[in-house]
Amino acid sequence: MTDRFLNALKGTNTSGRPPVWLMRQAGRYMPEYRVIRSRHSFLEMCHRPELIAEITMLPLKAFQMDAAILFSDILLIPEALEVGLHFEEKLGPVIARPIKNRAHVEALPKIDVRESLGFVAEGIKYFKIDDSKTPLIGFCGGPFTLASYMIEGGSSKDLRKTKEIMLRDPDTLHMLLDLLANYSIDYLNMQIDAGVDALQIFDSWAIFLGHPQFREFSLAYLDKIMKGIKKDKPVIIFCRGSSVFAPDLAELNPQGISLDWNADLSRVRSQIPPGIALQGNLDPDILLASKHVLQREVYRMLASRRGDSAYIFNLGHGITPEVPYENVRALVETVQDFT
Amino acid sequence: MTDRFLNALKGTNTSGRPPVWLMRQAGRYMPEYRVIRSRHSFLEMCHRPELIAEITMLPLKAFQMDAAILFSDILLIPEALEVGLHFEEKLGPVIARPIKNRAHVEALPKIDVRESLGFVAEGIKYFKIDDSKTPLIGFCGGPFTLASYMIEGGSSKDLRKTKEIMLRDPDTLHMLLDLLANYSIDYLNMQIDAGVDALQIFDSWAIFLGHPQFREFSLAYLDKIMKGIKKDKPVIIFCRGSSVFAPDLAELNPQGISLDWNADLSRVRSQIPPGIALQGNLDPDILLASKHVLQREVYRMLASRRGDSAYIFNLGHGITPEVPYENVRALVETVQDFT
C-alpha cells in the first residue's frame, strides 16, 4: 500500500511532497476512457464490475496517481430507488420521475443496498485483485445533493424546486434526506467491507444554501452518515461551498475536508483543527492554461502548503472533458517533482 | 437625511435595529415597476433621468426602505463603449460585439463618462429633488464582472471565454480591466458630485475565480477604484464569493462588505476589522417561503446581529422577479419591528 495519501489523512505525511489525485480523474478527457464509453452506456460502465475496476485503473496507469477513486456515480442510490435515472448527452443526468411531494417519498421502494448495489462491491474487489497497492477511495453523494437531483429531475441552475419544498414542506424534505442518509450509511459500509481504504462524501450542491439551511438540510445528514458508518476508514467531505462551510464541516470530525477552488488554503487551515487534513483546491479551469501557466499555478499552491503533513493536492471540483490530457500529466508531474 | 443606514456604515447605528434595504429592490416583482416596464424598454428606463428617479423611488414609497439604490444597470459602461448591449427576454443582457482579443480592446472608443453617462447624474439630481431625506446609494460593476460580460457576450454558467483569455493572454485582460477601472472611477466620482450618499461596487462574478486569480483580476481593480474615487462617501463592496473573500476585501478598507448568502454573519464578523460594516445576507429564495417561515428566518438573522451597530440588513443577492410583493413587505416590517 502506498502510504502518502493515507498518511496525509492522519497528518503524518513527511515524504517531502503531498499526495495527488484528482476528482473525476477517470473521465472523458482521457482517450482510453472515451474508447470504453463508445462501447458502453455510462450506466453500463457503472453497473459492470469488471468495467468499474478497469476504468478506476485508467488514471493510475496513465499518471501514477497517489490514490484511486472508484469509478461510479453518486446517483446510483437514486437509480436503485427507481426514479428513472438516465444520462443524456449535454444535459447530463435526467430523472424521469422526480419527487414532487410527500406521497412520492413514501412511495419509494424499500431496498437492500447490498443487493441493489452489490455490483459496486464487486467492482471494488476486482480492482483490489488487480492493484493491492494504491489506496482506493470509495464515495457517495451527500443526501442534500441526491435529494436535489431527485426533486429537480436533473441538474439545475438554482435548485428552485428543492428550495420550494425546503421552505414550504420541510418535513417531506427531511423524510427524503433521512432515508437517503440511511441508504448512504449502508452503501459506504458495503464499500468498506469490499475493501476501500478511504471514503469521500460529495455534497456538491450545498453552495445553493444559506448558512442556517446548510446546517439543517446538508450538514445534519452528513453528520448522520459520519456517525452511522464503520469507524475504521478515513473520510473526506467535499461540498461546493466548503470554502465557506469548512468550520461547520470540521465539527463532524472528518479526517479530511476537500475545498472548492475559491478558498485560500492557508486561511482555511487557520480556521480548522490541525488534526483535519485539507484537500484541494486548484480551479479545474487552470488545466486549460498553457503548460507553463499550469505549472506555475500548481507550484504556487504547493509552495503555500510546503511542509504540511496533512495536505492532499487536488482540484476544487472535477476535471472537465475539454482538459488536455497532457496537462493532467504536467500537473501530476509537477506535484511529484516538488520538494 | 435618515441616519440609520449611514450610521451603520460608520459603526454608530445605535437606533435599536439595523437599517434595511434590498439589492434590486426596484424590480420586476413590483406591479408598479411592471407598469413602467410595459411602456419602456429596460435600457430606456436606465437612460431617462425622470424614469431613473421615479423607479428608484418605488420601493421607498411601498416599503419605507432605509436607503434607496439608484435604478440603473452595471452594464451602462460597456454600453457606452459601444459593444452593442441589449436585453433579451429570458436571456438577459446580450452583447452583440463581444471582446475576443487585444485588438478588440484597443479598438474600444475613448469616452468621457460624464458626457456619455450624464443622464445617470441627472437621474440622481431628479431623485434628490423629490427626496432629500433617504440616503441614495450609487453603484457600478466591478471591472472583472464587466469584463466578463463583455467577453462572454452575456451571462455565462462558467466564464469559460473569460478564463481562457485570463490564462492564455492575461495582459489583454489586464488592459481591459484597467480601462474599466478608470471609467468606473470617473463614473463613481460623477455620481458623488451629483449627490449620492454612498456607493456600492458589485463584482458579482468573482465567485468563478480561484483565490490567486481573484486577487489578481478582481481585487486589484477594486483596489484601484477605491484609491481613485473621492474619499467623502462610504463604499460597500459586494461579490458573489464575498463569504470567502471577505478578509481580502477588508484589505481595501471599504466602509462595508456585502455578503452573499452562504456566510455565517457572526463568523465573518470575527474575521474582519470591527471598523468595517457588514451587510446581508438572507438567501433571496427565502422570500419564496410562507410569511411565517420568512419572518422566522429574518428574525433569526436579526437576532444573530443584535446590538451590532455596524450591521445592515439585506439579501445575499438581488430579489428575483417571482418573489411575492407582500413577502417583501413582511421582510421589511420584521426588520423595522425588531428591537
Side-chain angles (χ1 to χ4, degrees), chain A residues 62-126:
Chain A
F63 311 115
Q64 288 85 50
M65 300 284 185
D66 292 306
I69 182 151
L70 181 68
F71 176 76
S72 187
D73 194 274
I74 61 168
L75 295 177
L76 295 186
I77 287 178
E79 189 198 21
L81 292 170
E82 300 173 12
V83 291
L85 174 71
H86 56 288
F87 285 81
E88 286 184 18
E89 198 63 34
K90 294 197 178 173
L91 264 184
V94 175
I95 279 166
R97 293 176 292 282
I99 299 287
K100 295 183 178 172
N101 52 46
R102 189 177 194 89
H104 287 172
V105 178
E106 287 169 344
L108 289 170
K110 308 287 172 269
I111 60 169
D112 177 341
V113 164
R114 285 178 190 257
E115 198 166 295
S116 302
L117 299 171
F119 54 85
V120 173
E122 289 304 300
I124 292 167
K125 288 175 193 164
Y126 281 34

Side-chain angles (χ1 to χ4, degrees), chain A residues 151-167:
Chain A
I151 293 166
E152 302 292 331
S155 293
S156 159
K157 69 176 173 51
D158 53 15
L159 297 198
R160 181 55 59 83
K161 293 173 190 166
T162 308
K163 284 188 167 184
E164 275 173 6
I165 292 186
M166 177 178 92
L167 294 167

Side-chain angles (χ1 to χ4, degrees), chain A residues 158-160 163-164 166-168 206-213 215-216 240-241 243-248 251 260-265 267 271 281 283 285-291 293 296-297 300-301 320 322 324 327, chain B residues 158-160 163-164 166-168 206-213 215-216 240-241 243-248 251 260-265 267 271 281 283 285-291 293 296-297 300-301 320 322 324 327:
Chain A
D158 53 15
L159 297 198
R160 181 55 59 83
K163 284 188 167 184
E164 275 173 6
M166 177 178 92
L167 294 167
R168 296 276 168 180
I207 196 166
F208 286 100
L209 294 172
H211 192 261
Q213 288 72 41
R215 289 191 69 94
E216 180 175 348
R240 286 242 22 233
S243 292
V244 188
F245 301 138
D248 304 280
E251 294 172 22
D260 68 55
W261 68 84
N262 292 134
D264 178 48
L265 281 169
R267 190 178 292 156
Q271 292 165 359
N281 73 339
D283 177 357
D285 288 339
I286 301 282
L287 279 162
L288 302 169
S290 68
K291 191 173 162 185
V293 169
R296 184 192 68 200
E297 293 302 315
R300 165 150 63 178
M301 189 157 282
T320 54
E322 306 79 16
N327 272 7
Chain B
D158 53 15
L159 296 198
R160 181 56 58 84
K163 284 188 167 183
E164 275 174 5
M166 178 179 92
L167 295 166
R168 296 278 169 178
I207 196 167
F208 286 100
L209 294 172
H211 191 260
Q213 287 72 39
R215 290 192 67 95
E216 181 175 348
R240 287 246 14 239
S243 292
V244 189
F245 300 138
D248 304 280
E251 294 172 20
D260 69 56
W261 67 85
N262 293 133
D264 178 48
L265 281 169
R267 190 178 291 156
Q271 293 167 358
N281 73 340
D283 177 356
D285 288 340
I286 302 283
L287 280 163
L288 301 170
S290 68
K291 191 173 162 186
V293 169
R296 183 192 70 200
E297 293 302 315
R300 165 148 66 177
M301 189 157 283
T320 53
E322 306 79 16
N327 272 6

Side-chain angles (χ1 to χ4, degrees), chain B residues 78-246:
Chain B
E79 189 198 23
L81 292 169
E82 300 174 11
V83 291
L85 174 71
H86 56 287
F87 285 81
E88 287 184 18
E89 200 62 36
K90 295 198 176 171
L91 262 184
V94 176
I95 280 166
R97 294 176 292 283
I99 299 288
K100 295 183 178 170
N101 52 46
R102 190 178 194 88
H104 287 170
V105 178
E106 288 169 343
L108 289 170
K110 308 287 172 272
I111 59 169
D112 177 340
V113 164
R114 286 179 189 254
E115 198 166 295
S116 302
L117 299 171
F119 54 85
V120 173
E122 290 304 301
I124 291 167
K125 288 175 193 163
Y126 282 34
F127 174 87
K128 281 291 176 185
I129 291 168
D130 292 341
D131 182 341
S132 60
K133 285 193 188 152
T134 310
L136 176 62
I137 306 166
F139 71 91
C140 71
F144 178 73
T145 299
L146 297 187
S148 298
Y149 272 107
M150 291 170 79
I151 294 167
E152 302 291 332
S155 293
S156 159
K157 68 176 174 51
D158 53 15
L159 296 198
R160 181 56 58 84
K161 292 173 191 167
T162 308
K163 284 188 167 183
E164 275 174 5
I165 292 186
M166 178 179 92
L167 295 166
R168 296 278 169 178
D169 186 8
D171 290 349
T172 290
L173 183 56
H174 278 302
M175 178 188 277
L176 178 58
L177 292 166
D178 194 63
L179 171 163
L180 291 167
N182 283 327
Y183 287 135
S184 300
I185 290 167
D186 293 345
Y187 187 45
L188 294 183
N189 281 337
M190 178 191 81
Q191 294 183 39
I192 291 171
D193 291 343
V196 299
D197 303 290
L199 296 164
Q200 180 154 329
I201 307 174
F202 291 82
D203 212 359
S204 312
W205 287 5
I207 196 167
F208 286 100
L209 294 172
H211 191 260
Q213 287 72 39
F214 167 71
R215 290 192 67 95
E216 181 175 348
F217 296 97
S218 166
L219 191 71
Y221 295 94
L222 297 174
D223 187 41
K224 178 165 182 154
I225 292 174
M226 292 296 290
K227 287 179 173 144
I229 57 175
K230 299 181 182 199
K231 301 290 179 271
D232 48 343
K233 299 295 172 188
V235 181
I236 303 167
I237 306 181
F238 169 79
C239 316
R240 287 246 14 239
S242 54
S243 292
V244 189
F245 300 138

